[in-house]
Coordinates of all heavy atoms in Angstrom, one line a residue:
M76 N 108.1 74.5 78.7 CA 106.7 74.8 78.8 C 105.9 74.0 79.8 O 105.0 74.5 80.5 CB 106.1 74.5 77.4 CG 104.7 75.0 77.2 SD 104.7 76.8 77.3 CE 103.1 77.2 76.7
A77 N 106.4 72.8 80.1 CA 105.7 72.0 81.1 C 106.0 72.5 82.5 O 105.1 72.5 83.3 CB 106.2 70.5 81.0
G78 N 107.2 73.1 82.7 CA 107.5 73.7 84.0 C 106.6 74.9 84.3 O 106.1 75.0 85.5
R79 N 106.3 75.7 83.3 CA 105.4 76.8 83.5 C 104.0 76.4 83.8 O 103.4 76.9 84.7 CB 105.4 77.7 82.2 CG 104.6 78.9 82.4 CD 104.6 79.8 81.2 NE 103.6 80.8 81.3 CZ 103.8 82.0 80.9 NH1 104.9 82.3 80.2 NH2 102.9 82.9 81.1
T80 N 103.5 75.3 83.1 CA 102.2 74.8 83.4 C 102.1 74.3 84.8 O 101.1 74.5 85.5 CB 101.9 73.7 82.4 OG1 102.0 74.2 81.1 CG2 100.5 73.1 82.6
V81 N 103.1 73.6 85.3 CA 103.1 73.1 86.7 C 103.1 74.2 87.7 O 102.3 74.2 88.6 CB 104.3 72.2 86.9 CG1 104.5 71.8 88.4 CG2 104.2 70.9 86.0
R82 N 103.9 75.3 87.4 CA 103.9 76.4 88.3 C 102.5 77.1 88.4 O 102.0 77.5 89.4 CB 104.9 77.4 87.9 CG 106.3 77.1 88.4 CD 107.3 78.2 88.1 NE 107.2 78.4 86.6 CZ 108.2 78.8 85.9 NH1 109.4 79.1 86.4 NH2 108.1 78.9 84.6
V83 N 102.0 77.4 87.2 CA 100.6 78.0 87.1 C 99.6 77.2 87.9 O 98.8 77.7 88.6 CB 100.2 78.3 85.7 CG1 98.8 78.8 85.6 CG2 101.2 79.4 85.1
G84 N 99.7 75.8 87.6 CA 98.7 74.9 88.3 C 98.9 75.0 89.8 O 97.9 75.0 90.6
A85 N 100.1 75.0 90.3 CA 100.4 75.1 91.7 C 99.9 76.4 92.3 O 99.4 76.4 93.4 CB 101.9 74.9 92.0
V86 N 100.1 77.5 91.6 CA 99.7 78.8 92.1 C 98.2 78.8 92.2 O 97.6 79.3 93.2 CB 100.3 79.9 91.3 CG1 99.6 81.2 91.6 CG2 101.7 80.0 91.5
L87 N 97.5 78.3 91.1 CA 96.1 78.4 91.1 C 95.5 77.4 92.2 O 94.5 77.7 92.9 CB 95.5 78.0 89.7 CG 95.7 79.0 88.6 CD1 95.2 78.4 87.3 CD2 95.0 80.3 89.0
G88 N 96.1 76.3 92.4 CA 95.7 75.3 93.4 C 95.9 76.0 94.8 O 95.0 75.8 95.7
A89 N 97.0 76.6 95.1 CA 97.3 77.2 96.4 C 96.3 78.4 96.6 O 95.7 78.6 97.7 CB 98.7 77.7 96.5
G90 N 96.0 79.1 95.5 CA 95.0 80.2 95.6 C 93.6 79.7 96.0 O 92.9 80.3 96.8
A91 N 93.2 78.6 95.3 CA 91.9 78.0 95.6 C 91.8 77.5 97.0 O 90.8 77.7 97.7 CB 91.6 76.9 94.6
L92 N 92.9 76.9 97.5 CA 92.9 76.4 98.8 C 92.8 77.5 99.8 O 92.1 77.4 100.8 CB 94.2 75.6 99.1 CG 94.5 75.1 100.5 CD1 93.4 74.0 100.8 CD2 95.9 74.5 100.6
W93 N 93.5 78.6 99.6 CA 93.5 79.7 100.5 C 92.0 80.4 100.5 O 91.6 80.7 101.6 CB 94.5 80.9 100.0 CG 94.6 82.0 101.0 CD1 95.3 82.0 102.2 CD2 93.9 83.2 100.9 NE1 95.1 83.2 102.8 CE2 94.3 84.0 102.0 CE3 93.1 83.8 99.9 CZ2 93.8 85.3 102.2 CZ3 92.7 85.1 100.2 CH2 93.0 85.8 101.3
W94 N 91.4 80.5 99.3 CA 90.1 81.1 99.3 C 89.1 80.2 99.9 O 88.1 80.6 100.6 CB 89.6 81.4 97.9 CG 90.2 82.8 97.5 CD1 91.1 83.0 96.6 CD2 89.7 84.1 98.0 NE1 91.3 84.4 96.5 CE2 90.5 85.0 97.3 CE3 88.7 84.4 98.9 CZ2 90.3 86.4 97.6 CZ3 88.6 85.8 99.1 CH2 89.4 86.7 98.5
W95 N 89.3 78.9 99.8 CA 88.4 77.9 100.5 C 88.5 78.1 102.0 O 87.5 78.1 102.7 CB 88.8 76.5 100.1 CG 88.2 75.4 101.0 CD1 86.9 74.9 100.9 CD2 88.8 74.8 102.2 NE1 86.7 74.0 101.9 CE2 87.9 73.9 102.7 CE3 90.0 74.9 102.8 CZ2 88.1 73.2 103.8 CZ3 90.3 74.1 103.9 CH2 89.4 73.3 104.4
A96 N 89.8 78.2 102.6 CA 89.9 78.5 104.0 C 89.3 79.8 104.4 O 88.7 79.8 105.5 CB 91.4 78.4 104.3
V97 N 89.5 80.8 103.7 CA 89.0 82.1 104.1 C 87.4 82.1 104.1 O 86.8 82.5 105.1 CB 89.4 83.2 103.1 CG1 88.7 84.5 103.3 CG2 90.9 83.5 103.2
L98 N 86.8 81.5 103.0 CA 85.4 81.5 103.0 C 84.8 80.5 104.1 O 83.8 80.8 104.7 CB 84.9 81.0 101.6 CG 85.2 82.0 100.5 CD1 84.8 81.4 99.1 CD2 84.4 83.3 100.8
R99 N 85.5 79.4 104.4 CA 85.1 78.5 105.4 C 85.1 79.2 106.8 O 84.2 79.0 107.6 CB 85.9 77.3 105.4 CG 85.4 76.2 106.3 CD 85.8 74.8 105.9 NE 85.8 73.9 107.0 CZ 84.7 73.3 107.4 NH1 83.5 73.6 106.8 NH2 84.7 72.5 108.4
L100 N 86.2 80.0 107.0 CA 86.3 80.7 108.3 C 85.1 81.8 108.4 O 84.6 82.0 109.5 CB 87.6 81.5 108.4 CG 88.8 80.7 109.0 CD1 90.1 81.5 108.9 CD2 88.6 80.3 110.4
A101 N 84.8 82.4 107.3 CA 83.8 83.4 107.3 C 82.4 82.8 107.5 O 81.5 83.5 108.0 CB 83.9 84.3 106.1
V102 N 82.1 81.7 106.9 CA 80.8 81.2 106.8 C 80.4 80.0 107.7 O 79.4 80.0 108.3 CB 80.5 80.8 105.3 CG1 79.1 80.2 105.2 CG2 80.6 82.0 104.4
A103 N 81.4 79.0 107.8 CA 81.1 77.8 108.5 C 81.3 78.0 110.0 O 82.3 78.5 110.4 CB 82.0 76.7 108.0
P104 N 80.3 77.6 110.8 CA 80.5 77.7 112.2 C 81.4 76.7 112.8 O 81.9 76.9 113.9 CB 79.0 77.4 112.8 CG 78.4 76.6 111.7 CD 79.0 77.0 110.4
D105 N 81.7 75.6 112.1 CA 82.7 74.6 112.7 C 84.1 74.7 112.1 O 84.9 73.8 112.2 CB 82.1 73.2 112.4 CG 82.0 72.9 110.8 OD1 81.9 73.8 110.1 OD2 81.9 71.7 110.5
A106 N 84.4 75.8 111.5 CA 85.8 76.1 111.0 C 86.8 76.1 112.2 O 86.4 76.6 113.2 CB 85.8 77.3 110.2
G107 N 87.9 75.6 111.9 CA 88.9 75.5 113.0 C 90.3 75.9 112.8 O 90.5 76.8 112.0
V108 N 91.2 75.2 113.4 CA 92.6 75.6 113.4 C 93.2 75.4 112.0 O 94.0 76.2 111.5 CB 93.4 74.7 114.4 CG1 94.8 75.0 114.4 CG2 92.8 75.0 115.8
L109 N 92.8 74.4 111.3 CA 93.4 74.1 109.9 C 93.1 75.3 109.0 O 94.0 75.8 108.3 CB 92.8 72.8 109.3 CG 93.2 72.5 107.9 CD1 94.7 72.3 107.9 CD2 92.5 71.4 107.4
E110 N 91.8 75.8 109.0 CA 91.5 76.9 108.1 C 92.2 78.1 108.5 O 92.6 78.9 107.7 CB 89.9 77.1 108.1 CG 89.1 76.0 107.4 CD 88.8 74.8 108.3 OE1 89.3 74.8 109.5 OE2 88.1 73.9 107.9
A111 N 92.3 78.4 109.8 CA 93.0 79.6 110.3 C 94.4 79.5 109.9 O 95.0 80.6 109.6 CB 92.8 79.7 111.8
A112 N 95.1 78.4 110.0 CA 96.5 78.2 109.7 C 96.7 78.5 108.2 O 97.7 79.1 107.8 CB 97.0 76.8 110.1
V113 N 95.8 77.9 107.4 CA 96.0 78.1 105.9 C 95.8 79.6 105.6 O 96.6 80.2 104.8 CB 95.0 77.3 105.1 CG1 94.9 77.6 103.7 CG2 95.4 75.8 105.3
T114 N 94.8 80.2 106.2 CA 94.5 81.6 105.9 C 95.7 82.5 106.4 O 96.2 83.4 105.6 CB 93.2 82.0 106.6 OG1 92.2 81.3 106.1 CG2 92.9 83.5 106.3
T115 N 96.2 82.3 107.5 CA 97.3 83.1 108.1 C 98.5 82.8 107.3 O 99.3 83.8 107.1 CB 97.5 82.7 109.6 OG1 96.2 82.9 110.3 CG2 98.5 83.6 110.2
G116 N 98.8 81.7 106.9 CA 100.0 81.3 106.2 C 100.0 82.0 104.8 O 101.0 82.5 104.4
G117 N 98.9 81.9 104.2 CA 98.8 82.6 102.8 C 98.9 84.1 102.9 O 99.6 84.7 102.1
W118 N 98.4 84.7 104.0 CA 98.5 86.1 104.2 C 99.9 86.5 104.5 O 100.5 87.4 104.0 CB 97.5 86.6 105.3 CG 97.7 88.0 105.6 CD1 97.1 89.1 104.8 CD2 98.4 88.6 106.6 NE1 97.5 90.2 105.4 CE2 98.2 90.0 106.5 CE3 99.2 88.2 107.7 CZ2 98.8 90.9 107.4 CZ3 99.7 89.1 108.5 CH2 99.5 90.4 108.4
G119 N 100.6 85.7 105.3 CA 102.0 85.9 105.6 C 102.9 85.8 104.4 O 103.8 86.6 104.3
L120 N 102.6 84.9 103.5 CA 103.4 84.8 102.3 C 103.2 86.0 101.4 O 104.1 86.4 100.7 CB 103.0 83.5 101.5 CG 103.5 82.2 102.0 CD1 102.9 81.1 101.2 CD2 105.0 82.2 102.0
S121 N 102.1 86.6 101.5 CA 101.9 87.8 100.7 C 102.7 89.0 101.1 O 102.9 90.0 100.4 CB 100.4 88.3 100.6 OG 100.0 88.8 101.9
L122 N 103.3 88.9 102.3 CA 104.1 90.0 102.8 C 105.6 89.9 102.5 O 106.3 90.8 102.7 CB 104.0 90.1 104.3 CG 102.6 90.4 104.9 CD1 102.6 90.3 106.4 CD2 102.0 91.7 104.4
L123 N 106.0 88.7 101.9 CA 107.3 88.5 101.5 C 107.7 89.4 100.3 O 107.0 89.6 99.4 CB 107.6 87.1 101.1 CG 107.6 86.1 102.2 CD1 107.7 84.7 101.6 CD2 108.7 86.3 103.2
P124 N 108.9 90.0 100.4 CA 109.4 90.9 99.3 C 109.9 90.0 98.2 O 111.2 89.9 98.0 CB 110.4 91.8 100.0 CG 111.0 90.9 101.1 CD 109.8 90.1 101.5
V125 N 109.1 89.4 97.4 CA 109.6 88.5 96.3 C 110.2 89.2 95.1 O 110.8 88.6 94.3 CB 108.5 87.5 95.9 CG1 108.1 86.6 97.1 CG2 107.3 88.3 95.3
H126 N 110.0 90.5 95.0 CA 110.5 91.2 93.8 C 111.8 92.0 94.2 O 112.1 93.0 93.5 CB 109.5 92.1 93.3 CG 108.2 91.4 92.8 ND1 108.2 90.5 91.7 CD2 107.0 91.3 93.3 CE1 107.1 90.0 91.6 NE2 106.3 90.5 92.5
C127 N 112.5 91.6 95.2 CA 113.7 92.4 95.6 C 114.9 91.8 94.8 O 114.9 90.7 94.5 CB 114.0 92.2 97.1 SG 112.7 93.0 98.1
V128 N 115.8 92.7 94.6 CA 117.1 92.3 94.0 C 118.2 92.8 94.9 O 118.0 93.7 95.7 CB 117.3 92.9 92.6 CG1 116.2 92.4 91.6 CG2 117.3 94.4 92.6
P129 N 119.4 92.2 94.8 CA 120.6 92.7 95.6 C 120.8 94.2 95.3 O 120.6 94.7 94.2 CB 121.7 91.9 95.1 CG 121.2 90.6 94.6 CD 119.8 91.0 94.0
K130 N 121.2 95.0 96.4 CA 121.3 96.4 96.3 C 122.2 96.8 95.2 O 122.0 97.8 94.5 CB 121.8 96.9 97.6 CG 121.7 98.5 97.7 CD 122.1 98.9 99.1 CE 121.9 100.4 99.2 NZ 122.2 100.9 100.6
G131 N 123.3 96.1 94.9 CA 124.2 96.5 93.9 C 123.7 96.4 92.5 O 124.2 97.0 91.6
E132 N 122.7 95.5 92.3 CA 122.1 95.3 91.0 C 120.8 96.2 90.7 O 120.3 96.2 89.7 CB 121.7 93.9 90.8 CG 123.0 92.9 90.8 CD 122.6 91.5 90.7 OE1 121.4 91.2 90.3 OE2 123.4 90.7 91.1
A133 N 120.3 96.8 91.8 CA 119.1 97.6 91.6 C 119.3 98.9 90.9 O 120.3 99.5 91.1 CB 118.5 97.9 93.0
A134 N 118.4 99.2 90.0 CA 118.4 100.5 89.3 C 118.2 101.6 90.2 O 117.2 101.6 91.0 CB 117.4 100.5 88.2
G135 N 119.1 102.6 90.2 CA 119.0 103.8 91.1 C 119.4 103.5 92.5 O 119.1 104.3 93.4
A136 N 120.1 102.4 92.8 CA 120.5 102.1 94.1 C 121.6 103.1 94.6 O 122.4 103.6 93.8 CB 121.1 100.7 94.2
L137 N 121.5 103.5 95.9 CA 122.4 104.5 96.5 C 123.7 103.7 97.0 O 123.6 102.6 97.4 CB 121.8 105.3 97.6 CG 120.5 106.0 97.2 CD1 119.9 106.6 98.4 CD2 120.8 107.1 96.2
G138 N 124.8 104.5 97.0 CA 126.0 103.9 97.5 C 125.9 103.6 99.0 O 125.1 104.2 99.7
A139 N 126.7 102.6 99.5 CA 126.6 102.2 100.9 C 127.0 103.3 101.9 O 126.4 103.4 102.9 CB 127.5 101.0 101.1
G140 N 127.9 104.2 101.6 CA 128.3 105.2 102.5 C 127.7 106.6 102.3 O 128.1 107.5 102.9
R141 N 126.7 106.7 101.4 CA 126.1 108.0 101.1 C 125.5 108.7 102.3 O 125.8 109.8 102.6 CB 125.1 107.8 100.0 CG 124.5 109.2 99.6 CD 123.4 109.0 98.5 NE 122.9 110.3 98.1 CZ 121.8 110.8 98.6 NH1 121.1 110.1 99.6 NH2 121.3 112.0 98.2
W142 N 124.7 108.0 103.1 CA 124.0 108.6 104.2 C 125.0 108.9 105.3 O 124.9 109.9 106.0 CB 122.9 107.7 104.7 CG 121.7 107.7 103.7 CD1 121.3 106.7 103.0 CD2 120.8 108.8 103.5 NE1 120.2 107.1 102.2 CE2 119.9 108.4 102.5 CE3 120.8 110.1 104.0 CZ2 118.9 109.3 102.1 CZ3 119.8 111.0 103.5 CH2 118.9 110.5 102.6
R143 N 126.0 108.0 105.5 CA 126.9 108.2 106.5 C 127.8 109.4 106.2 O 128.0 110.3 107.1 CB 127.9 107.0 106.6 CG 128.8 106.9 107.8 CD 129.6 105.7 107.9 NE 128.8 104.4 107.8 CZ 128.9 103.6 106.8 NH1 129.9 103.8 105.8 NH2 128.2 102.5 106.7
A144 N 128.1 109.6 105.0 CA 128.9 110.8 104.6 C 128.1 112.1 104.7 O 128.6 113.1 105.2 CB 129.4 110.7 103.2
A145 N 126.8 112.0 104.4 CA 125.9 113.2 104.5 C 125.7 113.6 106.0 O 125.8 114.8 106.3 CB 124.6 112.9 103.9
W146 N 125.6 112.6 106.9 CA 125.3 113.0 108.3 C 126.6 113.4 109.0 O 126.5 114.1 109.9 CB 124.7 111.8 109.0 CG 123.2 111.7 108.7 CD1 122.6 110.7 107.9 CD2 122.2 112.5 109.2 NE1 121.3 110.9 107.8 CE2 121.0 112.0 108.6 CE3 122.1 113.6 110.0 CZ2 119.7 112.6 108.9 CZ3 120.8 114.1 110.3 CH2 119.7 113.6 109.7
S147 N 127.7 113.0 108.5 CA 129.0 113.3 109.2 C 129.6 114.6 108.6 O 130.6 115.0 109.1 CB 130.0 112.2 109.1 OG 130.4 112.0 107.8
G148 N 129.0 115.2 107.6 CA 129.5 116.4 107.1 C 130.4 116.2 105.9 O 131.1 117.1 105.5
G149 N 130.4 115.0 105.4 CA 131.3 114.7 104.2 C 130.7 115.3 102.9 O 129.7 116.0 102.9
A150 N 131.3 115.0 101.8 CA 130.8 115.4 100.5 C 129.5 114.8 100.2 O 129.2 113.7 100.5 CB 131.8 115.0 99.4
S151 N 128.6 115.7 99.7 CA 127.2 115.2 99.5 C 127.0 114.8 98.0 O 125.9 114.4 97.6 CB 126.2 116.3 99.8 OG 126.4 117.4 99.0
G152 N 128.1 114.8 97.2 CA 127.9 114.3 95.9 C 128.3 115.5 94.9 O 128.7 116.6 95.3
P153 N 128.1 115.3 93.6 CA 128.4 116.3 92.6 C 127.5 117.5 92.8 O 126.3 117.5 92.9 CB 128.1 115.6 91.3 CG 127.5 114.3 91.6 CD 127.6 114.1 93.0
G154 N 128.2 118.7 92.9 CA 127.5 119.9 93.0 C 126.9 120.2 94.4 O 126.2 121.2 94.6
G155 N 127.2 119.4 95.4 CA 126.7 119.5 96.7 C 127.5 120.5 97.5 O 128.6 120.9 97.2
S156 N 126.9 121.0 98.6 CA 127.5 122.0 99.5 C 128.5 121.3 100.4 O 129.3 122.0 101.1 CB 126.5 122.7 100.3 OG 125.8 121.8 101.1
G157 N 128.5 120.0 100.6 CA 129.4 119.3 101.5 C 128.8 119.2 102.9 O 129.4 118.6 103.7
R158 N 127.7 119.8 103.2 CA 127.1 119.7 104.5 C 126.1 118.7 104.6 O 126.3 117.6 105.2 CB 126.6 121.1 104.9 CG 127.7 122.1 105.1 CD 127.2 123.5 105.4 NE 126.2 123.4 106.5 CZ 125.3 124.3 106.6 NH1 125.2 125.3 105.8 NH2 124.4 124.2 107.6
S159 N 124.9 118.9 104.2 CA 123.9 117.9 104.4 C 123.2 117.5 103.1 O 122.2 116.8 103.1 CB 122.8 118.5 105.3 OG 122.2 119.6 104.7
G160 N 123.6 118.0 102.0 CA 123.0 117.7 100.7 C 121.8 118.5 100.4 O 121.1 118.3 99.4
C161 N 121.5 119.5 101.2 CA 120.4 120.4 100.9 C 120.8 121.4 99.9 O 121.9 121.8 99.7 CB 119.9 121.1 102.2 SG 119.3 119.9 103.4
S162 N 119.8 122.0 99.2 CA 120.1 122.9 98.1 C 120.2 124.3 98.7 O 120.7 125.2 97.9 CB 118.9 122.9 97.1 OG 117.7 123.3 97.7
G163 N 119.9 124.6 99.9 CA 120.1 125.9 100.5 C 118.8 126.7 100.4 O 118.8 127.8 100.9
G164 N 117.8 126.3 99.8 CA 116.6 127.0 99.7 C 115.8 126.9 101.0 O 116.1 126.1 101.9
G165 N 114.8 127.7 101.2 CA 113.9 127.6 102.3 C 113.8 128.9 103.1 O 113.9 130.0 102.5
V166 N 113.8 128.8 104.4 CA 113.5 129.9 105.3 C 114.9 130.6 105.5 O 115.9 130.0 105.8 CB 112.9 129.5 106.6 CG1 112.7 130.7 107.5 CG2 111.6 128.8 106.4
E167 N 114.9 132.0 105.4 CA 116.1 132.8 105.8 C 116.3 132.8 107.3 O 115.3 132.8 108.0 CB 115.9 134.2 105.2 CG 115.9 134.3 103.7 CD 117.2 134.1 103.1 OE1 118.2 134.6 103.7 OE2 117.3 133.6 102.0
P168 N 117.5 132.9 107.7 CA 117.7 133.0 109.2 C 117.1 134.3 109.7 O 117.3 135.3 109.1 CB 119.2 133.0 109.3 CG 119.8 132.4 108.1 CD 118.8 132.7 107.0
G169 N 116.3 134.2 110.7 CA 115.7 135.3 111.3 C 114.4 135.7 110.6 O 113.7 136.7 111.0
G170 N 114.1 135.1 109.5 CA 112.9 135.5 108.7 C 111.7 134.6 109.0 O 111.8 133.6 109.7
G171 N 110.6 135.0 108.6 CA 109.4 134.2 108.8 C 109.2 133.2 107.7 O 110.0 133.1 106.7
I172 N 108.2 132.4 107.8 CA 107.9 131.4 106.8 C 107.1 132.0 105.7 O 106.3 132.8 105.7 CB 107.1 130.2 107.5 CG1 107.9 129.6 108.5 CG2 106.6 129.3 106.5 CD1 107.3 128.5 109.2

């Protein structure tokens, strides 16, 4: 329980520091490099894919060779035509849309 409290405190502290830097950049005329670095660093951290799992463990993950087999004309999977994995529906040859 203490570990969770420390993590929550650290996250709230980092969030407060980031908002302080953002507001200082927006309002204070003497804001500088420190505020810009904190703001940019926090924004950059938000872009990290922290909820990713290894492909083999992901629910609904596709096999490694699936696209290669589809593009090379291999089997497209159960019930497939063996060409591109398309169902065959769509525009008839020589027909209009």
Side-chain angles (χ1 to χ4, degrees):
M76 188 68 165
R79 182 179 173 144
T80 304
V81 170
R82 278 186 302 210
V83 169
V86 168
L87 289 176
L92 177 67
W93 186 80
W94 276 109
W95 167 81
V97 169
L98 291 175
R99 186 155 161 80
L100 273 175
V102 176
D105 62 340
V108 177
L109 176 65
E110 291 86 355
V113 170
T114 302
T115 305
W118 178 78
L120 285 175
S121 72
L122 299 177
L123 289 175
V125 295
H126 298 292
C127 292
V128 296
K130 189 174 184 179
E132 297 176 19
L137 302 175
R141 180 179 181 269
W142 288 109
R143 192 175 311 117
W146 283 104
S147 67
S151 64
S156 63
R158 291 180 45 208
S159 66
C161 295
S162 63
V166 178
E167 294 284 326
I172 295 179

